Amino acid sequence: MTDVLAIAEHRRGELRDVSYELISAGRGLADDLGGELHVAVVSGQVEEFARRLDREGVDVVHTVSDGEEFNHGVYVQAVEALIEELDPTVLLMPNSVNGLDYGPAVANRLGRPLVTDVVDASFDDGLVATREMYGSKVETTVEVGGDRVAAMIRGGEWPGASGNGDAEIREFEFEVDESAVRTSVAGFEEVAGGDVDIADAEVLVSVGRGIEEEENIELIEELADALDATLSASRPIVDNEWLPPNRQVGQSGKTVTPEVYIAIGISGAVQHVAGMKGSETIVAINTDPNAPIFDIADYGIVDDLFDVVPALIAEFE
Ligand SMILES: Cc1cc2nc3c(=O)[nH]c(=O)nc-3n(C[C@H](O)[C@H](O)[C@H](O)COP(=O)(O)OP(=O)(O)OC[C@H]3O[C@@H](n4cnc5c(N)ncnc54)[C@H](O)[C@@H]3O)c2cc1C
């Protein structure tokens, strides 16, 4: 019996963190259902991935070896075939760029209700999923009808599963219909600065419009260097092209959960806070004592960043 099937995600030979978060979310749902958690990995080095996905709480890992990187046509067919064979009560996928590409197509083909961008989930008589609305100002709980459902989880909301498991690893026998695969991956090109994933950083130094001019970003870079931290930003900095899009934190940027988040000259608009409120410790530097960022900051410095940041650099260097 398969109660929950979670589809892992990988890129360029590496499993992405959300794969382990899917295991945690899936194990919780499988416990609610009193049953099994199956995980599937499609394309790439599936045997190696399967070994890594064998974490505590996983009952079976299914491998589908076809192609190296994500391909819409292959994923839609593979996930559909897995579901037809395993008939899980809950299909779990990542709410990532790839997940959003194949997930709705699969749910539509199988006639399953789909909840996207889920931040919490349980199973009672049916799936109970929590989503955020109005720029994360309110949470809404959705009870999903139907005894076969699909959900896509937001990265960074569940802890990554740890501990070695003793899952059975099964090769999934499945023939891709090549005539239904209309795209191929010609190569992989990172956007400028794409080598950095701010979602992985333990310490983020984040800069906002208070920095005034592009040339002043250098000062914040110096602080990031002194702290061995990664540089991120609010949206105006990215809109001005002072930093590349992969550095943007927030609703239309990345969700981050570092140990320390230092917000410098950032007001704390809801769209920004949506992406960083899960940080363990938040430090804010802002001249305006009424800036909303201070509502969520653990430590606040009400002062001019052009005085505070050089003092911090001197202290940490
Ligand atoms: C659909 C939508 C999606 C969005 N997505 C995002 C998103 O993903 N990420 C995001 O960040 N925003 C996003 N926004 C934009 C968001 O609404 C805000 O406009 C933005 O976050 C403001 O950025 P900021 O805090 O850097 O600038 P501001 O709001 O202008 O704040 C600048 C702050 O700097 C302070 N300051 C000024 N000078 C100094 C100084 N010398 N020293 C210290 N402090 C100083 C000011 O007091 C002020 O609080 C989105 C908006 C919409 C409508």
Side-chain angles (χ1 to χ4, degrees):
M1 180 176 52
T2 305
D3 296 279
V4 179
L5 173 66
I7 313 296
E9 177 160 312
H10 57 89
R11 184 191 290 171
R12 305 183 90 177
E14 294 291 338
L15 281 168
R16 310 204 81 202
D17 289 349
V18 74
S19 300
Y20 303 114
E21 294 159 14
L22 278 158
I23 292 175
S24 299
R27 187 63 254 167
L29 288 165
D31 287 346
D32 292 347
L33 282 153
E36 290 192 345
L37 168 64
H38 290 216
V39 176
V41 61
V42 182
S43 308
Q45 309 306 312
V46 287
E47 283 110 37
E48 174 62 23
F49 291 150
R51 271 193 290 279
R52 291 198 215 148
L53 290 165
D54 182 8
R55 297 268 162 113
E56 217 170 288
V58 178
D59 294 294
V60 183
V61 182
H62 303 268
T63 59
V64 184
S65 47
D66 195 288
E68 277 305 306
E69 293 289 347
F70 172 77
N71 181 300
H72 172 91
V74 173
Y75 265 63
V76 169
Q77 290 185 52
V79 177
E80 192 177 351
L82 279 159
I83 298 224
E84 275 164 1
E85 165 110 359
L86 303 170
D87 191 29
T89 306
V90 183
L91 164 66
L92 275 190
M93 296 165 285
N95 200 75
S96 58
V97 172
N98 290 355
L100 287 164
D101 181 295
Y102 72 89
V106 170
N108 182 46
R109 283 163 76 137
L110 296 167
R112 284 186 176 228
L114 171 71
V115 196
T116 57
D117 206 19
V118 172
V119 297
D120 198 8
S122 59
F123 203 96
D124 194 358
D125 283 337
L127 178 70
V128 181
T130 303
R131 307 181 81 238
E132 292 180 340
M133 296 176 74
Y134 306 120
S136 302
K137 272 191 175 155
V138 294
E139 282 192 342
T140 179
T141 301
V142 191
E143 289 183 28
V144 188
D147 58 358
R148 294 289 182 272
V149 295
M152 310 188 68
I153 71 156
R154 187 191 287 182
E157 296 295 328
W158 277 265
S162 55
N164 293 335
D166 55 1
E168 179 192 341
I169 295 176
R170 276 188 216 161
E171 198 179 330
F172 185 67
E173 300 285 341
F174 152 77
E175 189 86 8
V176 177
D177 173 5
E178 293 296 341
S179 68
V181 179
R182 302 209 172 96
T183 54
S184 63
V185 181
F188 208 103
E189 207 172 305
E190 292 280 4
V191 292
D195 51 322
V196 175
D197 189 351
I198 57 171
D200 289 341
E202 284 178 9
V203 181
L204 278 174
V205 171
S206 212
V207 59
R209 191 145 44 191
I211 197 67
E212 292 173 6
E213 286 175 24
E214 182 174 12
E215 63 199 34
N216 294 335
I217 300 263
E218 215 177 290
L219 178 68
I220 311 299
E221 270 168 346
E222 260 182 68
L223 177 62
D225 284 348
L227 290 170
D228 203 13
T230 303
L231 187 64
S232 58
S234 66
R235 179 160 157 177
I237 302 300
V238 172
D239 285 350
N240 283 341
E241 298 183 0
W242 296 351
L243 286 175
N246 65 331
R247 302 287 180 143
Q248 184 180 319
V249 173
Q251 186 187 315
S252 48
K254 287 206 171 173
T255 301
V256 296
T257 52
E259 281 169 29
V260 181
Y261 187 88
I262 308 178
I264 305 176
I266 292 177
S267 60
V270 284
Q271 295 88 354
H272 185 80
V273 169
M276 47 67 79
K277 64 181 185 332
S279 306
E280 240 167 78
T281 301
I282 298 170
V283 182
I285 304 167
N286 198 306
T287 41
D288 176 5
N290 297 315
I293 193 76
F294 288 126
D295 295 343
I296 57 156
D298 298 286
Y299 300 95
I301 303 169
V302 182
D303 209 338
D304 191 323
L305 72 89
F306 295 103
D307 294 330
V308 178
V309 174
L312 287 174
I313 294 169
E315 184 68 26
F316 285 105
E317 262 180 359

